[in-house]
Amino acid sequence: SYSSPGSVLPSLSLQREKIDRWNRYWTAEKKQTFLQLLDEESIKAGFRGGSFSEFRALMERNFTTMDTITFARLQSLFFVDNISVSGGLTTIVSTLKVDDAGKETVMESFGDSEGVLVIDRKSVLSKLVDNLGSDFNLIANVSLLLILGVLILAFGRFELGFITFVPILVSWVWTLGIMGMAGIKFNIFNIIISSFITGLGIDYSIYIMQGLVQGFETGDRNLLSYKTCILISVMISISGTGVMILARHPALRSIALISIIGLLSVVLISYTFEPVLFNWLVTKRGRQRLLPVTLADVVMTVFTLMLSLAGAILLNAVFLLILLLPVGSRSKKLLVHRSLSFLCRIPVWSMWHVRKRIINDTGEDFSRPAVIVCNHQSHLDLPLLLMQHPKIIVLTNRWVWNNPVYALVIRYLDYYPVSQGYESIIARLKERVADGYSVLIFPEGSRSPDARIRRFHKGAFLLAGRLNLDMLPLMVHGTGDCMTKGENHIRKGTVTLKFNPRIRPGDPAYGADYHQRTRNMLTFYRSEYEKLRAELETPRYFRNRLIRNFIYKGPVLEWYCRIKMLLERDYSLINSYVPREADITDLGCGYGFADYMLSFVSEKRKITGIDYDEEKIRLAGRCISMNDRLSFICADVTTYPFGNSDVFILGDVLHYLTEADREKVLCRCIRNLNPGGVIIIRDADSDLRRRHLFTRYTEFFSTRMGYNKTEGKGLFFFSGASLRALAEKSGMELEIPDSGRITSNRYYLIRHKK
């Protein structure tokens, strides 16, 4: 079909042409004959005379071209969208309707005509829909990224924000997939309703994560109530929008389908994925992890494992190439040993978040063969030891001997399994020792689950006697903290390898036979390891462990812990004044930061924390590192009957007490202080106004924001002079150590007079 303004609004020239044709045809004689014949035939047909007078007037009319007013009126009534005049350009739109088979023919016919533009309306509409879809996809992707960013900021951890975001992302993918399978296409109504569903999905994911965080933080079981409320909300939403599925209009039905699909998807994933992923961070096999997993742990573990796997594949390839070399078997084995030692360096040094330290005061260079004995804490031990020298043979377990990745290489390198017994491998080891190779054995047999040195087996010491070799005691520290037995991820930390002096064969200091040597070496290792722990396990070493106890409990608490650790330099000064074996009472312990740090540094400390803030005490008692040497009590220090202690700690607590209460608490501490004990006070001195101005401001805002509670009593900063007078009055000695200005506060030590 064809439709054009020209059918009703012909051009001026065409009008004149038609008028001329009319006048040429209807001459005066022809008009007269025609009208006379019309009158006669109409009367015969039964019409009255003059019935066709209007037609007669039309025939006798003198036609002229259409005037401008009439043209404009017709245009506005019928062709307002077909004719456009602007900027000296006039466009006239004519509509042709053809089937798909004839579309190309029409476009080719008019395509070369000057001043004619052929527009396929269907193609334009399709292009418009495509552009709308592209814009919607861009907006959706940007919105999802913004949602992820907001969730990360809200929860304070990328891990929590990402886990909360997973149901939103997966449900969106599911919805698109189901829409594609069902043939449902996006329109303006679907776009609006999908935004509504995304908003509900965000709410549901946040509620689930909030319940998980609260359960981990305080032990409250609020997750079930959150799930119940979400389920009710979903049922109401589906009943409100899903009922439109009964409508006949396809747009309304698509809205209902998207509502049902989107809401059910986000609820299903929120109920399942979120708890599974969150629980994986903090638990394993139904039990709490030693420390929660972080994204950095996962990334570094995957990176290290990929390097290790690539190294194993490369080692097998190098091994096959070395076998083809025209050299002797001893040279080939040495080349493979060197390749293995070099490739062990790559994953070890790639762990940039693990600090490596090697203590070799003896100058050991492995120039003489020896039986190397070492404690065993982690999978990290073996590559750390093998990278020290290429001429090392390891006695392995059965599963290592049968490992499909590197079994071929280690068998070639004479890594024998100890399950075969030492008697069967001594003869073969003698040949390797003669070539200058040392033998590495872990006398514990397997990895220690808690980094403590377990009972030694006798095989290593029997072997040293049969081979008449020195024993080279090596000691690893920190590998168990970086990769604990039972955990599959690598944490941030410090790893130390210490070389101890060699023990000559037959040295009577370690016993006459391998039985005595086993016992004596175990005693030696445990003693030296405790010395190494005392040297290395400083507050700085345990910084990461303390912070991990307060992650996934909200951004405020985690960053408060980090800031406190920074201001207090990991509580190193307090630790230096506390004996390694002591009963400690922390008055005003807060969240227990200092108490946990003191317990990490020494396992012989028994610590009691007291604070009147119930929420802080509850959070302190819910940490992963909570143990039977720590106890937290919610009580008022001015009335609670605490007992005798070797150490009393009053950190930022005295300025919350009135002068009378402050003196009462300090006098009780002095009376209950065991001989040789110390009272450690950390607080602001009102005599030093300028130095403690920052403390005054921070306390002012923290108390008014409700972070620290004063119970309406206000703040009472004390004078250092009054504290000295109280100490002298009680027969004690006041010491003001040089804290190095690690904070704006001052430290005070009250001791018994010498």
Side-chain angles (χ1 to χ4, degrees):
S1 64
Y2 167 80
S3 172
S4 174
S7 59
V8 179
L9 300 174
S11 65
L12 185 62
S13 60
L14 185 59
Q15 293 179 47
R16 290 171 180 169
E17 180 182 346
K18 289 184 176 183
I19 292 173
D20 291 341
R21 287 176 59 192
W22 175 272
N23 292 332
R24 285 196 305 270
Y25 180 82
W26 293 106
T27 61
E29 295 80 5
K30 189 177 291 186
K31 283 183 182 180
Q32 183 65 31
T33 303
F34 171 74
L35 293 175
Q36 184 179 352
L37 181 62
L38 177 64
D39 291 339
E40 294 174 355
E41 294 298 327
S42 63
I43 293 173
K44 292 179 182 179
F47 290 92
R48 291 184 304 172
S51 296
F52 296 94
S53 59
E54 292 184 6
F55 180 74
R56 177 182 289 274
L58 180 64
M59 290 292 294
E60 294 176 350
R61 179 180 175 183
N62 184 22
F63 289 102
T64 59
T65 57
M66 189 185 306
D67 59 73
T68 306
I69 297 176
T70 304
F71 191 96
R73 185 179 302 167
L74 290 174
Q75 177 183 348
S76 63
L77 289 175
F78 301 106
F79 303 106
V80 66
D81 295 328
N82 294 71
I83 301 176
S84 174
V85 179
S86 63
L89 176 67
T90 301
T91 59
I92 302 174
V93 178
S94 299
T95 303
L96 284 76
K97 293 185 179 180
V98 299
D99 55 19
D100 290 336
K103 182 173 64 174
E104 295 296 331
T105 303
V106 172
M107 296 183 69
E108 291 176 1
S109 301
F110 289 96
D112 297 333
S113 302
E114 183 179 359
V116 177
L117 176 64
V118 181
I119 299 174
D120 183 5
R121 184 177 295 178
K122 183 178 179 181
S123 300
V124 172
L125 183 61
S126 299
K127 187 65 175 178
L128 180 63
V129 172
D130 293 340
N131 291 337
L132 179 63
S134 300
D135 290 343
F136 177 69
N137 291 333
L138 175 62
I139 294 171
N141 293 333
V142 172
S143 299
L144 290 175
L145 290 176
L146 290 175
I147 291 169
L148 176 60
V150 171
L151 290 174
I152 293 172
L153 291 175
F155 287 104
R157 295 290 308 188
F158 180 87
E159 299 86 349
L160 299 186
F162 179 75
I163 293 174
T164 308
F165 179 71
V166 165
I168 304 168
L169 178 63
V170 176
S171 64
W172 180 248
V173 174
W174 279 18
T175 302
L176 294 178
I178 296 174
M179 287 176 60
M181 291 187 293
I184 305 172
K185 296 184 178 180
F186 267 117
N187 52 47
I188 188 63
F189 305 104
N190 292 341
I191 291 174
I192 295 173
I193 203 67
S194 63
S195 303
F196 163 72
I197 294 171
T198 302
L200 284 178
I202 295 170
D203 292 341
Y204 298 157
S205 298
I206 290 174
Y207 291 147
I208 293 293
M209 180 54 66
Q210 191 64 28
L212 291 169
V213 170
Q214 287 184 1
F216 177 66
E217 181 181 10
T218 63
D220 294 337
R221 302 290 183 177
N222 292 330
L223 183 59
L224 181 60
S225 61
Y226 282 128
K227 287 185 175 181
T228 303
C229 295
I230 290 172
L231 185 60
I232 295 173
S233 174
V234 170
M235 294 172 62
I236 294 174
S237 300
I238 290 180
S239 64
T241 58
V243 71
M244 287 188 289
I245 198 172
L246 303 175
R248 294 185 178 182
H249 197 283
L252 295 179
R253 295 187 65 185
S254 66
I255 291 174
L257 286 172
I258 291 181
S259 300
I260 295 172
I261 294 169
L263 289 173
L264 292 180
S265 298
V266 74
V267 169
L268 177 62
I269 299 169
S270 298
Y271 272 38
T272 54
F273 278 25
E274 273 193 88
V276 169
L277 293 176
F278 180 83
N279 289 330
W280 180 82
L281 293 177
V282 298
T283 62
K284 185 175 183 181
R285 297 171 185 172
R287 302 177 60 184
Q288 278 195 340
R289 294 182 181 270
L290 293 177
L291 289 175
V293 181
T294 64
L295 177 65
D297 296 339
V298 176
V299 171
M300 289 307 304
T301 300
V302 172
F303 177 69
T304 304
L305 289 178
M306 293 298 293
L307 284 179
S308 301
L309 181 60
I313 296 173
L314 180 61
L315 179 62
N316 282 276
V318 171
F319 167 64
L320 295 176
L321 291 175
I322 290 176
L323 290 180
L324 301 176
L325 295 177
V327 296
S329 60
R330 292 184 178 180
S331 299
K332 291 180 180 179
K333 285 193 175 184
L334 181 58
L335 285 174
V336 178
H337 272 286
R338 291 186 182 279
S339 301
L340 175 60
S341 180
F342 174 78
L343 290 175
C344 284
R345 297 173 181 268
I346 297 176
V348 171
W349 292 111
S350 67
M351 297 182 292
W352 57 268
H353 66 315
V354 176
R355 182 168 175 257
K356 276 74 67 174
R357 181 185 179 190
I358 298 176
I359 304 175
N360 189 5
D361 297 334
T362 61
E364 180 60 53
D365 58 1
F366 297 93
S367 57
R368 290 183 293 110
V371 173
I372 305 171
V373 290
C374 185
N375 60 314
H376 199 12
Q377 297 183 356
S378 169
H379 286 306
L380 303 178
D381 298 340
L382 191 57
L384 182 65
L385 294 171
L386 290 178
M387 62 181 277
Q388 302 303 315
H389 199 271
K391 285 194 171 185
I392 297 178
I393 294 174
V394 184
L395 299 188
T396 66
N397 291 326
R398 174 63 63 179
W399 74 270
V400 177
W401 177 261
N402 295 323
N403 190 287
V405 178
Y406 41 78
L408 186 64
V409 175
I410 65 173
R411 293 187 183 191
Y412 179 78
L413 296 179
D414 301 319
Y415 283 25
Y416 302 112
V418 294
S419 58
Q420 295 181 359
Y422 289 95
E423 296 293 341
S424 61
I425 61 176
I426 287 178
R428 285 177 285 183
L429 288 176
K430 285 183 178 179
E431 298 178 6
R432 312 308 302 145
V433 170
D435 292 335
Y437 287 87
S438 298
V439 182
L440 171 61
I441 303 176
F442 296 109
E444 294 172 279
S446 62
R447 291 166 292 150
S448 173
D450 55 4
R452 299 177 185 273
I453 297 179
R454 302 193 300 166
R455 183 180 68 87
F456 281 0
H457 297 283
K458 302 179 180 64
F461 311 101
L462 169 66
L463 193 65
R466 294 290 184 89
L467 297 175
N468 195 32
L469 292 177
D470 295 345
M471 283 192 299
L472 177 57
L474 301 185
M475 197 169 293
V476 293
H477 176 274
T479 56
D481 292 328
C482 293
M483 191 175 187
T484 310
K485 183 177 181 180
E487 300 279 3
N488 299 321
H489 61 278
I490 304 172
R491 293 189 294 266
K492 181 181 179 181
T494 302
V495 170
T496 302
L497 173 64
K498 182 178 181 180
F499 287 75
N500 290 291
R502 289 185 176 226
I503 300 174
R504 302 294 182 182
D507 188 341
Y510 292 91
D513 57 18
Y514 68 89
H515 295 283
Q516 294 179 353
R517 288 202 166 202
T518 302
R519 292 192 297 269
N520 292 337
M521 283 296 291
L522 177 60
T523 303
F524 166 79
Y525 260 87
R526 286 176 173 171
S527 174
E528 291 299 315
Y529 187 71
E530 289 302 318
K531 294 178 183 178
L532 187 62
R533 287 186 62 190
E535 176 186 349
L536 300 177
E537 294 183 0
T538 62
R540 179 64 181 176
Y541 179 85
F542 291 109
R543 173 185 175 83
N544 186 56
R545 180 186 293 187
L546 179 59
I547 293 174
R548 291 279 180 111
N549 275 269
F550 296 94
I551 66 174
Y552 305 145
K553 296 182 178 181
V556 176
L557 182 57
E558 177 183 348
W559 282 102
Y560 180 63
C561 177
R562 291 180 180 274
I563 293 172
K564 288 288 288 185
M565 295 283 287
L566 180 66
L567 294 176
E568 296 290 343
R569 292 184 184 173
D570 308 322
Y571 296 99
S572 56
L573 189 62
I574 292 179
N575 178 73
S576 64
Y577 296 124
V578 178
R580 296 188 65 84
E581 185 173 356
D583 286 335
I584 305 168
T585 301
D586 186 0
L587 303 179
C589 64
Y591 295 104
F593 300 151
D595 301 331
Y596 277 104
M597 180 59 76
L598 294 174
S599 70
F600 293 155
V601 174
S602 176
E603 297 176 353
K604 297 180 180 180
R605 291 169 174 169
K606 185 177 180 181
I607 306 170
T608 301
I610 304 173
D611 199 288
Y612 65 86
D613 193 327
E614 183 178 358
E615 181 182 358
K616 291 182 178 180
I617 289 296
R618 183 170 58 170
L619 290 173
R622 283 285 303 173
C623 291
I624 286 181
S625 297
M626 183 66 182
N627 54 68
D628 55 2
R629 296 180 288 106
L630 283 165
S631 61
F632 295 97
I633 302 170
C634 180
D636 188 344
V637 297
T638 62
T639 59
Y640 183 76
F642 52 83
N644 291 358
S645 290
D646 299 312
V647 178
F648 285 99
I649 301 175
L650 296 96
D652 292 327
V653 66
L654 292 182
H655 59 265
Y656 292 109
L657 305 179
T658 63
E659 183 177 356
D661 288 337
R662 182 165 59 241
E663 184 174 353
K664 181 172 66 173
V665 170
L666 288 173
C667 289
R668 287 179 58 201
C669 291
I670 292 172
R671 288 196 304 269
N672 294 341
L673 185 64
N674 292 332
V678 61
I679 301 174
I680 304 174
I681 300 173
R682 175 195 178 279
D683 221 309
D685 189 342
S686 60
D687 296 337
L688 307 174
R689 292 182 176 272
R690 189 171 183 179
R691 173 174 173 179
H692 299 296
L693 188 62
F694 177 75
T695 303
R696 297 173 187 273
Y697 280 123
T698 56
E699 291 294 339
F700 175 82
F701 287 109
S702 67
T703 53
R704 277 155 180 76
M705 294 175 63
Y707 198 72
N708 290 321
K709 299 178 181 179
T710 62
E711 296 183 347
K713 297 179 180 179
L715 299 175
F716 309 92
F717 292 99
F718 66 93
S719 168
S722 64
L723 189 62
R724 183 180 298 277
L726 177 63
E728 293 178 354
K729 177 182 176 182
S730 304
M732 307 294 283
E733 183 179 15
L734 180 67
E735 176 185 348
I736 303 178
D738 181 12
S739 61
R741 295 292 299 275
I742 61 176
T743 67
S744 60
N745 288 334
R746 172 179 279 185
Y747 278 84
Y748 307 88
L749 304 179
I750 298 178
R751 304 178 186 271
H752 290 284
K753 288 186 176 181
K754 299 179 181 179

